[in-house]
Amino acid sequence: MTEQAKTLTSNPGTEKARVIVCAGTPCVSAGALDIYEEFEERLSAVDLPAEVVLEDEKVENEGLSLDLTGCPGFCEQGPLVRIDPVGILYTNVTVEDVETIIDKTLAQGEVIEDLCYEDVSGQRVLRENEISFYSSQKRLVLDNCGYIRPDSLGDYRRAGGLKALQKVLAEMTPEQVCDQILASNLRGRGGAGYPTGQKWKFTLSQQAEEKFIVANCDEGDPGAFMDRSLIEGDPYRVLEGMIIGAYAVGASQGFVYIRIEYPLAIKRLEKAVENLREQGFLGKNILDSGLDLDIDIRRGAGAFVCGEETALLHSIEGKRGMPRPRPPYPSQSGLWDRPTVINNVETLANVPDIINRGADWYSDIGTENSPGTKVFALAGDVVNTGLVEVPMGISLEEVVNEIGGGVPGGKKLKAVQTGGPAGGCIPADELDVKVDFESLAEKGSIMGSGGMIVMDEETCMVDLAKYFIEFSREESCGKCTPCREGNTRLLEILERITRGAGKEEDIDLLRRLSELEQKASLCGLGQAAPNPVVSTLDYFEEEYRRHIEEQECPAGACRYLVTYLIEADPCVGCGACARVCPVDCISGESQEPHEIDQNECIKCGQCYEVCNFEAVLRK
Amino acid sequence: MNSEDKISLVIDGIRTEVEPGATIMDAADQVGVHIPRLCYHPELSILGACRICIVELEKREQLVASCSYPAEEDMVVKTSSPELRRHRRDIVELILDNHPKDCQTCVRDGNCELQDSAYSLGVRERLFEGERKQYPEDNSSPSIHREPDKCILCGRCVRVCDEVQGVTNLWQQNRGFESVAAPAHNADIMESVCIHCGQCVNVCPTASIVENNVTDEVFEAIADPDLHVVVQTAPSIRAALGEGFGYDPGTPVAGKMVTALKMMGFDAVFDTDLGADLTIIEEADEFLNRFEAGEKLPLITSCSPGWVSFLETFYPELIPNASTCKSPMSMLSSLTKSYYAEQAGIAPENIYSVAAMPCTAKKYEAARPEHETPWGAPYTDAVLTTRELIWMCKCMGVDFRNLPDSQFDRPLGTASGGGDIFGTTGGVTEAALRTAYERFTGETLTNVDFMEVRGVQGLREATIELDGHNVNIGVANGLQNAKELFERLLSGEKEYHMLEIMACPGGCVGGGGQPYPPEDTFALDPELVKKRAQALYTIDSSKQLRKSHENPDIKELYSYYLGEPNSERAHKLLHTSYKPSERQGIK
Amino acid sequence: MSCCSEEYTLKEKIVEKLQDFRGRDRSDSYLIPALQIVQEEYGYLSRQHLDEVARLLSVPYARVTGVASFYQFFNFQPAGEYEIIICTGTACHVRGAGAVFDRFLEELGVEPEEPTEDGKFSVTDARCVGACSKAPVVIIEEKVYSHVAPDDVPDILADFGYSP
């Protein structure tokens, strides 16, 4: 190990070492900026050939540099610090570790094992690309994330950026661009999977004095943060795809619609747009091609429904984000009634590579009907949470167990939820399902925008459905009856089931309402809102029945249906449970087994959490 | 257009052709298939919100809203199936489940589109009942009463207020289940920029927005032996009241109406049309003075109280142009408590003056401080809408259809045809021209029909020659149209001498207090409005007395009581003033 | 006209910004950016400010409040000096954000969004902030607390000078 690490400083002056601090939101929230500052301060104080590079567009001098990059995706282990060119990855770094890293690794070329990732077998892994979390991934869209400084147009260009745009403007007609995207069979990554080339071609064919292109970064699914990481880590890639798209469809104005909850991504995007404008990649007559395009960033204001394209357009127009019936489709009549093409940011990020490397190259990745890769935000009851990019067609099993490292704590996997509130659950015994648009749909779920929540055996499926319906109820725009009223009624039924007050006919009512909402709602969000109910009913109807017929929650998650008991044998009478009980319903003499008064118990579970002797049982 | 340009499609097995741009619902209507609907309104933009009009398309799992989905070539549409009927029924139940269960005591019981839908689509039990939205009622306005709990979010009020009236006082507020159509800040009507026109009441399918009901007060007054209760009826009432008793729209029922009012116990029944004649005389005088002096032109009519509120709220810069004449109703009320009181020897304090109007804004007008008597009571004590009057007749068991005709009472009961046509758009202008012509030229007008100002289009312009002078006239009904007229005026694009503005589409015949439309018509229906207007023109043309200034009762009134037009007494009793609203609207 | 003399309580720089919006093409499309600017300056949208935005952008009042009340980002009452934001994304939900949320309310004796009597604290929930790996997450004044349990609540509050 030390041998390898020596290369870090073996040739100072010829090969530059870089200290890369991940500055994605999770790492920042865990203190990455403090770590960065600490590095900056200490590096300037020590006698190392160190240079701190933060500002964009500065040519990097030889020696040691310190960069802030976008998210490499391994959020669970953040804050992350990588030392290039060797690629040593330090995880869970603290401010206190900085001094040690400088003294040992940078000055002496020594690796600090304690900071290296420890895999499931207890082995310390030195390099990022040796960690199973990364080795099964295929990074196209996220290729630059974590490797370039997101603010730096220079870094992006050195990594091959803007070549596609130059090629398109110099050598291709808009029709050819559309045809190439069509031939690649790139499908929209926002959820519906509509062929991007077709959308572009149709928009191109529209006669209008003005057209628009919109990048949809209103990533609202709870637990999904693919688009945010992409923009935080590689904003130029998205913008390059967007400029190419504008050329392909004939748009003269672009909008990026991005959640206001993503301040860092917004900042990076603003900076990127500014740099592109300064360098002549945005504005009038871009690269002498005759293409005029400017890009405006519009921040969302907290409405999930604005991910729906017609709602998003209304929001850009300054209206309530309520969907309208289609047709006409935005490509016919969108912003201010002009033809408008709307693409998800991940879709756009695929475009430069397709132009550079060809449609055939792209369609060879993934499956025939779902080519390319997909980025997922892996979260929930899984060892490695974070951002993963995998080729389409990979099995769900591989994603969860190999990349994700399986379920922690020796618990059993119960299901995987994909597609967020519009998606469904794939049960553990269907885990060999391929991750592509059609296969997931066949199992009653959807690809969605890329949220992937792993659930262990302690997750109650009724409670899960309730959670998503509560979300959809809160986020319903209120325009059409089935969604506005239906979600409230679904929620009421699910609530009474989880309280043990479910009625015999409730399962039929849930199905009936769900079908109505799916078939008759105005927009895709309303139509998809009951999916979590339908898919959990399809795979876990028995669990619903247990709640209704036996007032029992098999997963032990439904508060009202759970009983906490103290088992006399293991109880040592330490009194910890009695002290935390908020309603004082636990009694017992010191050193004697304690007892819970079931009539008073509010089932908060605090005694269960606090007991060190596994004497409190949850049933 | 030849049939090649048309779209051919199949509705329930019937092949039909429609023009491009037609919706599935249009196509179905054409072949006699009535798809149930609720938020849809033919005169408003398409919302596609209620989803009751869903239909099945061949080879497509998703159902589509027929009101918004365009007809496509060779489309195969099914408008009814067991699944569709179940879904529609469930949608209506979902609406009902979030709506108060007080149908039996609701003011719109028996006349409610939601109730009708629930009945016709077969909601016989509640499957999904639960929580309901809770919003306080709004009783702040003398005109409009809001019960947001009854709002079903069809968006018609929002659309009519914005698209037809250009007021945009109502908008959907909040989100999701908590959504409600309301003024800014969910404020009360009186704290909003509402102009009280009542078009929202007309289009509301439920009782979420209704007029402020004063029938109890009127019944009480009638029953009070100390009060002398007088009623006056607006021109357009007689053209619409019959609809409440099964007459075809456009059936004039003035004679039966007077009989009914007398049977109900009113002590005297006067004709607002006389007030209209009086308005013409005062306004013609005002116009001639301004025209000769070349100032404060164009003169803008002021008889529509919705328009007056709109003026004060949105166009205060035009206040100097507005005629200072009170509306016909307020003129007649003033005279009732002065001239009539004197003539009849009744203490004016003991007169209770009721006005039956096609209008909700008249309730607001009556309550304005400018229309107060010197002893602090309003000149108009109560304003009833046509709808309230219909209900009172029914409540009292008046067998309207079998009533004989009666005459209005003197001295305020004779009207010229000019006064009668006040109730339709263009009528005020035409009546004014009949009088102004003779006053201006000194000649007798032989053809009194000014066809160039008739019609129901929202915006009309005409130039009339008066003694060698060109008088440019603009006529607008519906305030969105008025806005357009003002844009032309204020931008200097066009010079006008006289503008007639009616707040409601079609004028008072389409007023916010008119009957809920009978079957096969709808609120804002141009055909319905036309029929009602035609009734007024028929009354006009059947009269000998066509010109306001020839009205013998008016001549008598001036000679015995008022003196000259614009005399001091006339000014005190017949004119008023305006001031900018505290809350200025945004144009 | 005197009736319409425009006096604004909004800060001059904001009035200028909004007037700049008004001068642009399709100026009503800047309604949401305008509301965001006011919200970010004052922490909430007062009735007065909403009406001023309406006048400055020439968008009807009802539409302005209709838009503002549609989006969760906008508040209509001032938040506490310290706004305690609890993420309720899926990961946080699964890992007990609800109990943390309730505990904050209980400790401070307030309802959601309602400031404490001294105006120092208010508690609100947020849609996924994207730090799922740190769930449940609580954010106060840009300080992020990871893996929060209900029992951590008093200590967190103490960091901001709260004593029961």
Side-chain angles (χ1 to χ4, degrees), chain A residues 77-343:
Chain A
Q77 300 292 326
L80 303 175
V81 171
R82 197 178 70 239
I83 295 160
D84 273 354
V86 185
I88 293 178
L89 182 71
Y90 288 151
T91 57
N92 294 309
V93 178
T94 65
V95 174
E96 290 70 36
D97 295 330
V98 171
E99 193 181 353
T100 330
I101 294 173
I102 291 172
D103 289 352
K104 292 202 170 158
T105 311
L106 294 183
Q108 300 168 33
E110 213 177 285
V111 170
I112 306 153
E113 279 207 36
D114 282 356
L115 288 176
C116 289
Y117 173 69
E118 186 183 351
D119 71 13
V120 239
S121 60
Q123 288 279 311
R124 291 283 174 177
V125 184
L126 170 69
R127 292 182 212 226
E128 189 180 271
N129 55 15
E130 289 160 3
I131 297 172
S132 62
F133 178 76
Y134 288 104
S135 53
S136 299
Q137 296 193 39
K138 176 154 187 79
R139 296 201 156 203
L140 299 179
V141 166
L142 297 177
D143 196 27
N144 288 338
C145 286
Y147 291 89
I148 65 167
R149 290 165 303 168
D151 281 351
S152 166
L153 184 53
D155 276 14
Y156 181 62
R157 297 188 74 173
R158 275 188 286 282
L162 294 184
K163 279 193 189 136
L165 175 61
Q166 284 164 325
K167 180 177 170 189
V168 160
L169 295 184
E171 302 167 17
M172 297 173 81
T173 63
E175 288 79 11
Q176 287 171 326
V177 179
C178 291
D179 286 340
Q180 186 157 341
I181 299 300
L182 194 60
S184 76
N185 198 15
L186 170 66
R187 297 174 64 176
R189 297 302 197 244
Y194 191 80
T196 306
Q198 237 169 60
K199 218 186 222 183
W200 285 14
K201 254 196 131 133
F202 191 66
T203 312
L204 175 65
S205 73
Q206 299 290 308
Q207 298 296 319
E209 51 184 283
E210 194 181 17
K211 293 181 195 174
F212 296 102
I213 183 164
V214 175
N216 184 348
C217 188
D218 190 51
E219 179 178 54
D221 287 9
F225 51 92
M226 303 74 54
D227 297 349
R228 191 203 68 222
S229 300
L230 177 57
I231 285 186
E232 284 179 2
D234 195 6
Y236 293 102
R237 182 187 292 266
V238 176
L239 293 172
E240 183 181 2
M242 201 171 163
I243 303 171
I244 293 171
Y247 176 74
V249 304
S252 56
Q253 175 68 49
F255 290 94
V256 181
Y257 188 86
I258 181 164
R259 296 181 74 195
I260 199 165
E261 292 90 337
Y262 288 174
L264 184 60
I266 292 167
K267 216 174 84 192
R268 297 228 163 116
L269 211 48
E270 282 169 347
K271 181 82 181 144
V273 166
E274 197 185 308
N275 287 343
L276 286 170
R277 210 179 277 145
E278 269 171 23
Q279 304 278 324
F281 294 98
L282 283 175
K284 295 270 173 217
N285 193 20
I286 297 169
L287 302 182
D288 264 343
S289 64
L291 172 66
D292 296 339
L293 177 73
D294 211 341
I295 292 178
D296 207 355
I297 296 160
R298 292 294 173 95
R299 296 182 297 166
F304 175 73
V305 64
C306 287
E308 198 278 343
E309 56 183 18
T310 60
L312 186 153
L313 296 179
H314 284 152
S315 188
I316 291 179
E317 289 175 351
K319 299 173 183 164
R320 291 165 61 87
M322 308 215 286
R324 61 157 174 80
R326 298 175 307 178
Y329 293 94
S331 41
Q332 304 164 286
S333 174
L335 280 175
W336 298 286
D337 303 327
R338 316 284 180 175
T340 303
V341 69
I342 304 163
N343 293 120

Side-chain angles (χ1 to χ4, degrees), chain A residues 320 489 492 512 518 520, chain B residues 51 62 90 131 172 174:
Chain A
R320 291 165 61 87
R489 302 308 165 212
E492 285 169 346
R512 179 168 173 164
Q518 288 175 324
Chain B
R51 315 305 288 175
Q62 214 64 46
D90 285 358
E131 178 199 356
Q172 200 165 332
N174 306 336

Side-chain angles (χ1 to χ4, degrees), chain B residues 207-219:
Chain B
S208 185
I209 312 183
V210 294
E211 67 266 86
N212 180 35
N213 191 304
V214 294
T215 51
D216 278 352
E217 284 89 319
V218 175
F219 275 137

Side-chain angles (χ1 to χ4, degrees), chain B residues 336-533:
Chain B
T336 299
K337 292 193 179 179
S338 54
Y339 174 62
Y340 169 68
E342 201 180 290
Q343 297 252 310
I346 302 165
E349 297 85 350
N350 291 339
I351 295 179
Y352 188 88
S353 162
V354 178
M357 296 284 137
C359 183
T360 49
K362 286 286 175 202
K363 291 173 182 265
Y364 174 77
E365 178 189 325
R368 288 175 66 122
E370 302 91 72
H371 299 306
E372 225 171 55
T373 61
W375 58 96
Y379 275 116
T380 311
D381 293 281
V383 174
L384 297 169
T385 61
T386 320
R387 290 184 290 263
E388 285 170 279
L389 185 57
I390 291 169
W391 179 80
M392 285 179 78
C393 288
K394 290 184 175 171
C395 179
M396 294 192 82
V398 173
D399 182 8
F400 196 87
R401 293 184 72 102
N402 291 316
L403 295 183
D405 287 349
S406 306
Q407 298 291 315
F408 285 103
D409 291 315
R410 298 203 61 192
L412 300 172
T414 310
S416 78
D420 296 323
I421 58 174
F422 249 62
T424 177
T425 171
V428 179
T429 305
E430 184 168 347
L433 286 172
R434 291 177 190 174
T435 295
Y437 183 90
E438 297 199 352
R439 299 272 309 265
F440 212 87
T441 63
E443 293 166 16
T444 304
L445 182 69
T446 43
N447 182 5
V448 298
D449 296 333
F450 286 82
M451 299 308 285
E452 49 276 65
V453 297
R454 292 192 185 177
V456 292
Q457 301 94 320
L459 189 50
R460 304 187 309 279
E461 289 176 338
T463 301
I464 306 280
E465 206 198 297
L466 282 185
D467 203 20
H469 299 276
N470 276 340
V471 178
N472 293 338
I473 295 171
V475 176
N477 61 91
L479 292 166
Q480 189 61 48
N481 296 317
K483 265 180 158 177
E484 215 178 301
L485 204 55
F486 299 147
E487 290 317 310
R488 291 181 198 172
L489 169 72
L490 294 170
S491 68
E493 181 194 328
K494 186 98 198 232
E495 195 194 357
Y496 297 102
H497 301 102
M498 186 177 166
L499 298 180
E500 180 204 296
I501 310 292
M502 293 289 161
C504 293
C508 307
V509 284
Q514 291 284 44
Y516 291 119
E519 222 171 302
D520 298 328
T521 66
F522 49 88
L524 305 170
D525 181 354
E527 289 308 311
L528 174 65
V529 167
K530 235 184 260 175
K531 283 179 188 160
R532 289 174 183 167

Side-chain angles (χ1 to χ4, degrees), chain C residues 2-75:
Chain C
S2 63
C3 68
C4 315
S5 76
E6 304 277 38
E7 277 181 16
Y8 297 106
T9 61
L10 284 166
K11 289 181 183 162
E12 206 181 318
K13 61 169 185 183
I14 291 181
V15 172
E16 279 167 15
K17 183 77 204 161
L18 266 53
Q19 281 166 340
D20 170 53
F21 285 155
R22 175 78 179 109
R24 299 191 200 175
D25 281 352
R26 295 162 174 151
S27 62
D28 59 346
S29 80
Y30 291 93
L31 174 57
I32 294 167
L35 293 170
Q36 286 167 336
I37 289 169
V38 177
Q39 161 96 22
E40 278 162 346
E41 180 70 31
Y42 297 95
Y44 74 109
L45 301 171
S46 68
R47 207 165 155 147
Q48 174 78 22
H49 285 165
L50 282 162
D51 286 352
E52 290 180 17
V53 170
R55 295 215 303 273
L56 281 160
L57 290 184
S58 197
V59 175
Y61 304 114
R63 208 184 117 187
V64 170
T65 62
V67 167
S69 62
F70 183 84
Y71 295 97
Q72 208 184 10
F73 176 73
F74 301 115
N75 301 322

Side-chain angles (χ1 to χ4, degrees), chain B residues 137-205:
Chain B
E137 289 182 23
D138 175 4
N139 283 315
S140 65
S141 159
S143 295
I144 309 286
H145 173 78
R146 285 178 62 239
E147 264 183 78
D149 286 0
K150 291 186 175 170
C151 174
I152 62 166
L153 295 160
C154 69
R156 289 189 198 167
C157 57
V158 170
R159 285 175 284 163
V160 81
C161 192
D162 181 52
E163 296 166 12
V164 177
Q165 297 300 59
V167 172
T168 323
N169 184 49
L170 298 170
W171 207 259
Q172 200 165 332
Q173 310 288 332
N174 306 336
R175 185 169 80 191
F177 193 75
E178 282 76 32
S179 299
V180 64
H185 315 291
N186 286 319
D188 283 348
I189 287 287
M190 288 308 274
E191 293 170 41
S192 73
V193 294
C194 176
I195 54 143
H196 317 285
C197 70
Q199 286 303 323
C200 52
V201 177
N202 270 1
V203 296
C204 181

